[in-house]
Amino acid sequence: MSELAAIGGAASEPSHRRSIKKVAILSAAASLMSIVALVVWIVALAPLPLAQASQVSTTIADRNGKLLRAYAMADGRWRLAVDAGKDVDPIYLKLLLAFEDRRFREHAGVDPLALARAALQLIEHGHIVSGGSTVTMQLARLMEPRRERSVYAKLRQIVRAIEIERQLDKDQILNLYLTLAPFGGNLEGVRAASIAYFGKEPKRLTLAESALLVALPQSPETRRLDRYPEAARAARDRVLDRMIEEHRISEADAAQAKAAAVPRLRKPMPVLAPHAADQAIATMKDTPVIRLTLDSNLQKAFEALARDRALALGPYISVAIMAVDNESGDVLARVGSADYFDDSRAGQVDMTRALRSPGSTLKPFIYGLAFEDGFVHPDSLIDDRPIRFGAYAPENFDMTYQGTVA
């Protein structure tokens, strides 16, 4: 019996080894097939939609680069181009990267440590605490929007993020993310959000404003300031609390930021020099940024002056103003009407380009020539009376005459 048992044991050993070898071969084949399938799937992916993602609203800027007017995109979205180095407050950038992707400058699109942390938090808490997505992965999702949250969707983001990192540098990735990030409704990008919610460019933001803009893209529709301001406030405060925990801001600064009110209404996009902007966009199509020779401060002052004078003159009267730099010939301000949006004053009509009789606009030049040639001097009296030159009988604008005037 002992010999038979020994023989049986010896005979069964090769069979056991054969089973292990067979399993190993099958596992290797399955792994190889999975790798081949993954490679085929990656190769079959369409090219990154970089051109589509780079489309932005056309903006009209003044001679110093200040925004005069922006035009919504064809689908109604406001998406303004952003340069993180010039257009955005450094405090906001520090909060954003600390909250969303602290190793943004080091990783190659995917942060293994963040993914591991997210997996452990999921196991520990039973629900998603943090997604582990890098800024680049979030950009990939924004470039190819998908509603489902699945392993396949996350894998696609990872692959796309690696592709993005190979084609763009870190500054380009950050600029594109800041341009595409959703902020609720038809607002995309931190610049459009800052102008719509705070009425200013994001170059100088408070700590409270910065934390709010960090919080909104995580759930833009459920934190819309014009619909759910309290939810937005709570999300902002969570960002501040996290920054306290990581010793990036002090408790005193956070408390001051939490006391700041949250905007509840959107502000209109700026509409300065509307007639000049309309002409520029009609002649320079498909240009993201059009810079004019206008000066925004002078333009704003003259538009206010035109509105005030039109009101003083009465209904249905409009006013046009143009200021030109005599040395360079640059147009510094151009007001085409008293109110672009006032139909009763034909506000859409650009009176600076309308064909009209020069009227009294020539008088200063005529007086100047008369003084220069010695026909009159500053104390001369001039008769404002009816006169005729053959068939031509000039009249005053108000159809009256003032007699002898100085």
Side-chain angles (χ1 to χ4, degrees):
M1 288 292 291
S2 61
E3 292 180 359
L4 290 173
I7 293 172
S12 64
E13 188 174 353
S15 176
H16 178 65
R17 289 179 179 176
R18 283 197 299 271
S19 297
I20 294 175
K21 186 176 181 180
K22 185 176 181 181
V23 170
I25 292 172
L26 290 174
S27 298
S31 300
L32 181 59
M33 290 176 64
S34 298
I35 293 172
V36 171
L38 179 61
V39 171
V40 171
W41 173 67
I42 293 174
V43 172
L45 287 175
L48 280 169
L50 287 174
Q52 182 179 351
S54 300
Q55 294 177 356
V56 294
S57 301
T58 298
T59 54
I60 312 297
D62 78 343
R63 65 194 299 115
N64 300 311
K66 292 184 178 180
L67 182 65
L68 293 170
R69 186 179 183 183
Y71 291 83
M73 298 176 67
D75 57 5
R77 287 175 296 167
W78 293 101
R79 181 196 289 176
L80 307 185
V82 179
D83 184 333
K86 297 188 299 183
D87 301 330
V88 185
D89 194 302
I91 294 176
Y92 165 75
L93 292 177
K94 290 179 181 178
L95 289 186
L96 173 69
L97 295 181
F99 194 82
E100 294 287 357
D101 190 355
R102 69 186 68 178
R103 284 176 288 276
F104 172 71
R105 295 289 177 181
E106 286 78 40
H107 63 66
V110 180
D111 187 347
L113 294 176
L115 289 175
R117 183 192 68 242
L120 290 174
Q121 290 173 339
L122 175 60
I123 295 171
E124 181 180 352
H125 297 278
H127 60 86
I128 297 176
V129 177
S130 61
S133 294
T134 63
V135 165
T136 314
M137 290 171 64
Q138 294 180 49
L139 174 59
R141 187 176 67 249
L142 293 172
M143 292 172 65
E144 297 180 321
R146 293 177 182 274
R147 291 185 175 275
E148 75 273 11
R149 299 185 65 177
S150 62
V151 175
Y152 169 79
K154 184 64 69 175
L155 180 60
R156 187 183 182 96
Q157 287 175 28
I158 291 173
V159 172
R160 287 307 206 185
I162 295 172
E163 284 187 88
I164 291 171
E165 292 273 350
R166 292 179 62 185
Q167 297 188 37
L168 304 176
D169 62 35
K170 289 292 185 179
D171 290 333
Q172 291 173 321
I173 292 170
L174 185 58
N175 290 343
L176 199 52
Y177 171 80
L178 294 175
T179 302
L180 298 179
F183 286 86
N186 62 347
L187 295 176
E188 291 187 357
V190 67
R191 210 175 148 213
S194 181
I195 293 172
Y197 291 141
F198 309 134
K200 64 180 182 180
E201 295 275 2
K203 293 181 180 179
R204 284 180 288 276
L205 297 171
T206 65
L207 178 59
E209 293 167 345
S210 295
L212 183 61
L213 292 177
V214 169
L216 291 182
Q218 297 171 17
S219 185
E221 291 308 314
T222 61
R223 297 174 183 175
R224 281 183 58 167
L225 295 179
D226 54 348
R227 294 184 180 178
Y228 310 106
E230 293 307 317
R233 174 191 286 273
R236 177 200 67 183
D237 293 351
R238 285 195 294 272
V239 172
L240 293 169
D241 289 337
R242 168 102 165 264
M243 295 300 101
I244 294 174
E245 293 174 3
E246 297 184 3
H247 306 290
R248 296 182 182 274
I249 61 174
S250 68
E251 292 188 9
D253 289 340
Q256 184 177 4
K258 288 181 180 181
V262 170
R264 293 173 178 266
L265 295 174
R266 282 176 53 167
K267 295 176 173 58
M269 288 289 175
V271 185
L272 277 174
H275 298 94
D278 285 346
Q279 182 186 5
I281 198 172
T283 55
M284 302 178 67
K285 295 180 180 179
D286 302 322
T287 304
V289 180
I290 302 173
R291 180 170 290 193
L292 305 180
T293 61
L294 303 180
D295 181 289
S296 61
N297 293 327
L298 197 61
Q299 181 71 27
K300 188 180 298 183
F302 279 1
E303 287 188 11
L305 175 62
R307 281 193 297 271
D308 291 344
R309 294 310 305 154
L311 290 173
L313 291 171
Y316 312 115
I317 299 295
S318 192
V319 173
I321 304 173
M322 182 175 286
V324 180
D325 184 303
N326 186 55
E327 183 176 354
S328 65
D330 290 345
V331 177
L332 301 180
R334 174 179 162 188
V335 183
S337 67
D339 188 341
Y340 183 78
F341 299 102
D342 188 345
D343 292 337
S344 68
R345 299 180 189 273
Q348 303 285 317
V349 176
D350 184 358
M351 291 170 51
T352 64
R353 301 181 65 214
L355 296 177
R356 300 171 59 84
S357 168
S360 296
T361 57
L362 292 179
K363 286 182 180 177
F365 301 101
I366 295 173
Y367 290 150
L369 289 173
F371 292 157
E372 189 176 280
D373 291 344
F375 291 128
V376 295
H377 57 79
D379 294 327
S380 296
L381 298 179
I382 298 176
D383 286 335
D384 179 23
R385 303 178 186 281
I387 192 171
R388 178 177 292 276
F389 300 93
Y392 174 55
E395 297 175 331
N396 290 322
F397 177 75
D398 59 3
M399 308 302 290
T400 62
Y401 299 93
Q402 304 299 319
T404 302
V405 296

